[in-house]
């Protein structure tokens, strides 16, 4: 049985079910090494772990809103586990230690990324040089999207032979309630931070209400530093009947999404945007900015949603168009369900396992 180790920062809800499925794969014995069990300042509602894992002693520093993990004790864990293949998820020092271990002890290495060609355009030459060195010493490549495929190709990698896709996904069946009665016009679900622009979503709803000549009912799900500002703005605007749910537990999310008709995703930048998987599986129409990896895969202009830059007038017009046309809304919602069907835990697990098996034969 092939021994595989994956090194990543921390477990996240949409990856744990994939790890659980890989644990049932008789071809592999995989252990997951986490730098920390939960990132500081974030509450994570995790499914149960049914896979082997090791949590390192936390060692990190904060830089530009991100935690940079530096756990040199990963060397000792790797020596003990003695894997055939090392998969690293990112370029924190801890992940680079994993790559160095693979090179020193002649193990196979596989990088995994959620990033895209567009999301890494602004990287410095130093960051790009590190990636070139790591990719040159790797035997297979895992990415979450077609954008990841384009990213690897930009470094000269033969993606036709060596790229394996491991989608970010959710349990689609849990979110599909069918064509149920929906009490909210709009759902916004994300961390309440500036990069997700919840206050922009409020303004979209307010302007749409003026054009519709009726209140827009909106459900805001999420927690974060902008929660106070969100509540304050909602109290000021007219025409928006809003409910602020707060943090949504995993068990609550399907019912929350299924209360809405249109999902607003005014993100400043997401390498993917797993909330779109949830919205699509729930049969919602989508309005999003172009700054997310899901665009072109799970959000198709004019098919299940609209892709619009930060233009309040155009966002409000798109929302009005959907809310005034029930047939269009239903067609978009059904197309969302269709698009997300192939994004499953089983497919994601097969992509990850396939990369490890491919690497060992190179």
């Amino acid at each position: 049985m092939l021994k595989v180790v994956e090194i990543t920062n921390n477990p996240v809800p949409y990856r744990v079910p994939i790890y659980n499925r890989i644990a049932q794969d008789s071809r592999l014995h995989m252990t997951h090494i986490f730098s920390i069990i939960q990132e500081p300042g974030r509450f994570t509602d995790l499914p149960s772990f049914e896979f082997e894992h090791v949590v390192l002693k936390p060692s990190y520093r904060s830089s530009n809103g991100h935690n940079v993990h530096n756990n040199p004790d990963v060397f000792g864990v790797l020596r003990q586990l003695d894997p055939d293949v090392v998969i690293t998820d990112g370029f924190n020092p801890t992940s680079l230690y994993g790559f160095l271990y693979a090179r020193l002890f002649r193990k196979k290495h596989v990088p995994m990324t959620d990033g895209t060609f567009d999301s890494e355009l602004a990287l410095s030459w130093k960051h790009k040089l590190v990636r070139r060195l790591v990719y040159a010493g790797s035997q297979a490549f895992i990415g979450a999207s077609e954008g990841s495929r384009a990213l690897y190709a930009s470094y000269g990698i033969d993606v036709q032979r060596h790229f394996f896709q491991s989608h970010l996904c959710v349990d689609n069946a849990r979110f599909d309630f069918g064509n149920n009665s929906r009490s909210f016009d709009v759902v916004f679900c994300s961390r309440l931070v500036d990069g997700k622009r919840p206050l922009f979503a409020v303004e979209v709803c307010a302007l749409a209400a003026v054009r519709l000549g009726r209140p827009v009912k909106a459900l805001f799900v999420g927690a974060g530093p902008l929660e106070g500002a969100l509540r304050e703005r909602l109290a000021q605007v007219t025409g928006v009947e809003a409910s602020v749910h707060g943090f949504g537990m995993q068990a609550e999310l399907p019912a929350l999404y299924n209360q809405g008709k249109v999902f607003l995703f005014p993100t400043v930048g997401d390498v993917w945007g797993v909330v779109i998987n949830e919205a699509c599986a729930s049969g919602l129409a989508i309005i999003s900015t172009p700054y997310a990896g899901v665009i072109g895969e799970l959000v198709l202009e004019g098919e299940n949603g609209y892709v619009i830059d930060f233009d309040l007038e155009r966002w409000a017009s798109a929302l009005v168009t959907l809310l005034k046309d029930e047939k269009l809304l239903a067609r978009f919602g059904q197309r969302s369900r269709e698009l997300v069907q192939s994004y499953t835990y089983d497919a994601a697990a097969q992509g990850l396992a396939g990369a490890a098996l491919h690497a060992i034969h190179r």
Side-chain angles (χ1 to χ4, degrees):
M1 185 181 291
L2 185 67
K3 291 192 294 183
V4 183
V5 161
E6 185 220 17
I7 302 170
T8 190
N9 289 348
N10 60 288
V12 290
Y14 49 82
R15 277 290 178 188
V16 169
I18 298 169
Y19 300 156
N20 289 341
R21 281 159 173 78
I22 293 174
Q24 305 303 314
D25 192 326
S26 61
R27 301 171 296 173
L28 309 174
H29 182 275
M30 183 175 286
T31 304
H32 303 269
I33 300 177
F34 303 119
S35 292
I36 197 169
I37 199 66
Q38 183 172 297
E39 291 280 10
R42 291 195 180 192
F43 177 73
T44 304
D45 177 24
L46 294 171
S48 61
F49 290 10
E50 299 167 12
F51 54 87
E52 293 191 18
H53 64 281
V54 176
V55 181
L56 303 174
K57 180 181 178 181
S59 177
Y60 61 89
R61 63 178 176 84
S62 296
S63 176
N64 298 321
H66 299 282
N67 295 312
V68 179
H69 294 275
N70 188 348
N71 311 80
D73 53 329
V74 72
F75 275 112
V77 175
L78 288 168
R79 289 300 303 273
Q80 182 178 3
L81 294 173
D82 188 29
D84 303 300
V85 179
V86 177
I87 299 173
T88 57
D89 178 5
F91 293 90
N92 274 306
T94 307
S95 291
L96 294 177
Y97 296 149
F99 170 71
L100 181 59
Y101 170 88
R103 297 293 290 172
L104 288 174
F105 293 95
R106 299 180 182 275
K107 308 296 184 179
K108 304 295 185 178
H109 177 259
V110 179
M112 180 164 68
T113 185
D114 299 342
T116 67
F117 177 78
D118 290 334
S119 73
E120 296 199 359
L121 278 174
L123 288 180
S124 70
W125 69 267
K126 293 180 181 179
H127 287 92
K128 292 182 178 180
L129 177 61
V130 170
R131 281 156 174 76
R132 287 191 182 280
L133 293 172
V134 170
Y135 295 160
S138 302
Q139 288 72 49
F141 303 85
I142 304 171
S145 64
E146 289 302 310
S148 301
R149 184 192 296 269
L151 172 64
Y152 285 130
S154 72
Y155 284 93
I157 293 159
D158 184 353
V159 293
Q160 296 301 318
R161 293 197 297 162
H162 307 309
F163 174 81
F164 293 80
Q165 198 155 0
S166 185
H167 299 297
L168 299 181
C169 49
V170 300
D171 184 347
N172 295 327
R174 284 184 59 239
F175 286 85
D176 190 353
F177 286 21
N179 296 320
N180 58 305
S181 176
R182 298 172 183 261
S183 54
F184 287 96
D185 297 306
V186 164
V187 173
F188 174 97
C189 182
S190 188
R191 292 181 65 223
L192 300 181
V193 295
D194 188 58
K196 306 299 182 181
R197 297 292 172 88
L199 299 181
F200 179 82
V202 174
E203 303 307 322
V204 171
C205 293
L207 184 54
V210 172
R211 294 182 177 179
L212 287 167
R214 67 163 179 84
V216 168
K217 297 181 178 180
L219 174 61
F220 288 84
V221 181
L226 289 184
E227 183 171 347
L230 173 65
R231 292 182 182 275
E232 181 180 352
R233 184 58 185 150
L234 286 170
Q236 294 170 346
V237 299
T238 58
V240 182
E241 297 178 0
S243 174
V244 181
H245 178 83
F247 181 82
M249 301 289 285
Q250 291 295 307
E252 299 177 292
L253 289 176
L256 292 170
Y257 277 96
N258 275 270
Q259 293 182 52
K261 301 172 184 176
V262 181
F263 187 77
L264 300 185
F265 192 49
T267 179
V268 171
D270 272 75
V271 291
W272 180 251
V274 75
V275 291
I276 297 295
N277 295 70
E278 296 168 340
C280 285
S282 303
L284 276 69
I286 314 293
I287 306 177
S288 174
T289 63
Y291 309 117
V294 290
I295 304 304
E297 292 192 49
L298 288 186
V299 183
L300 301 183
E301 174 69 29
E303 292 191 29
N304 71 320
Y306 298 113
V307 181
I308 308 170
D309 212 328
F310 287 103
D311 183 323
L312 181 60
E313 295 282 338
R314 291 180 61 204
W315 272 69
S317 294
L319 180 56
V320 168
T321 296
L322 288 167
L323 294 179
K324 290 179 69 174
D325 190 336
E326 291 187 5
K327 290 183 178 179
L328 178 66
L329 193 64
R331 187 168 78 245
F332 275 31
Q334 180 57 35
R335 184 65 176 134
S336 285
R337 290 192 182 98
E338 294 169 357
L339 288 169
V340 82
Q341 286 309 303
S342 62
Y343 291 73
T344 66
Y345 293 138
D346 287 336
Q350 287 300 313
L352 203 157
L357 293 165
H358 178 82
I360 204 66
H361 295 299
R362 286 194 63 199

